[in-house]
Amino acid sequence: MSDPVPASGTVHWIGAGLSTGSGLAAVCVAADRVRLWHRTEERAAQALDHLGLAGRAEPRAYTLPALAAELAPGDVVVSMLPAPEHAPLLALCVQGRAHFACSSYVSDAVLDQVPAAAAAGVVVLTEAGLDPGIDHLFAHSLIARAQEAIGSETAAEVSLTSYCGGVPAVPNDFKYRFSWAPAGVLNALRSPARYLDHGAETTTDRPWEATRPHVVDGETFEVYPNRDSVPFIGQYGLPAAWKPQTFVRGTLRLDGWLRAWGAVFEELKAGDDERIAALAAELATTYPTTEEDRDRVVLAVSLEVRSGTGATWSGRYLLDLEGTPEESAMARCVSRTLGLGVRHVLDGDLPAGLNRAAETAQRSEEWLGELRREGIDFALRTDG
């Protein structure tokens, strides 16, 4: 593995969709030069004006060749594009010895390029948003606190749940507010979920069919498993002596969501790709995201450890934020976390190769402290 290429001070922020917020402003302060790439130069300029960043970043019309023409070694490329577009961007970064950052999960196409990136001295920062991102920070912090209380060598049974959702601050009849593209929401629901329940691996082909009530501070929500939770047992570094009985990373929705989305689920069960794409367009039109409505982000991560001697420890992080007229809660959480990661790349704090928002408890505590100082508020409760 090579040492990371020294950061040049230039950041290329690709995309200005619903999750781009004040994190970009923080990057404009930290970087020497920022370019915002969007569908057209005019759209990029409009986005900068909307964010109050006109004159602080340069608008650009995005194409991969156009970016390649301006990319220099040590630049940082921040992708806010859909996950399938990350791999071509990373390939360009490896070729140009530029660093790469995104808030998305690590795809196989990205993972395949990590050895080449590490050899080229390229930092690859992933899972640095809200979920994934802040949820990882919470989990690492809780596990470290439990180990200190219970002991990592002590046999114990463990329950870890991590639920996150973007919902309307004022509930509507649909019990939902789109904070990312409807097509992505629907396709996520079409993907099987794997998790641990009563110590056994469980898979559900239709995640919404595993929806159950979940109470947070006296408020009832609905939650369901999302994607594949099982690899995160290793990623979170649970001690070998601890046996997870429940381990679920999932999605949180308002109470009544399952009933309100009944017609959508019927379409998901019967529809092909073409029909689902059409349905996504219909939902975008019927339930548009407007400047007037406000979103709410709820992230609840809980850990309970019960040792064979009867000793117990439990802890929970709760993040519960509402959007403002200036910025949605989702954009605040995603972009500020990603912006923090970009600043660490600029400072040379991250090694070449694959990095996630949190790899260790120590780094999690550092990032959580920084996020709190930047206005991402959350609460920690422990018992035991």
Side-chain angles (χ1 to χ4, degrees), residues 31-45:
D32 298 329
R33 187 176 191 179
V34 177
R35 298 183 179 113
L36 177 64
W37 298 78
H38 206 25
R39 293 170 185 168
T40 66
E41 186 172 329
E42 181 182 13
R43 292 282 297 275

Side-chain angles (χ1 to χ4, degrees), residues 7 9 11 13 22-32 34 76 78 101 123 125 128 332 334-350 366-367 369-376:
V11 175
W13 190 286
S22 55
L24 177 57
V27 169
C28 287
V29 172
D32 298 329
V34 177
V76 183
V78 182
V123 176
L125 175 63
R332 189 189 326 169
V334 173
S335 71
R336 290 193 189 184
T337 308
L338 185 55
L340 172 60
V342 170
R343 279 148 39 213
H344 281 293
V345 177
L346 291 170
D347 291 340
D349 293 341
L350 301 182
E366 292 169 354
W367 280 43
E370 291 173 291
L371 288 172
R372 190 189 290 277
R373 289 191 291 273
E374 294 184 10
I376 304 294

Side-chain angles (χ1 to χ4, degrees), residues 19-20 23 53 67 81 87 106 118-119 168 178 196 244 260 289 293 297 324 331 333:
S19 292
T20 291
L53 298 175
L67 175 63
L81 301 177
V106 183
F178 286 105
L196 290 190
T289 298
D293 62 356
V297 165
T324 66
C333 292

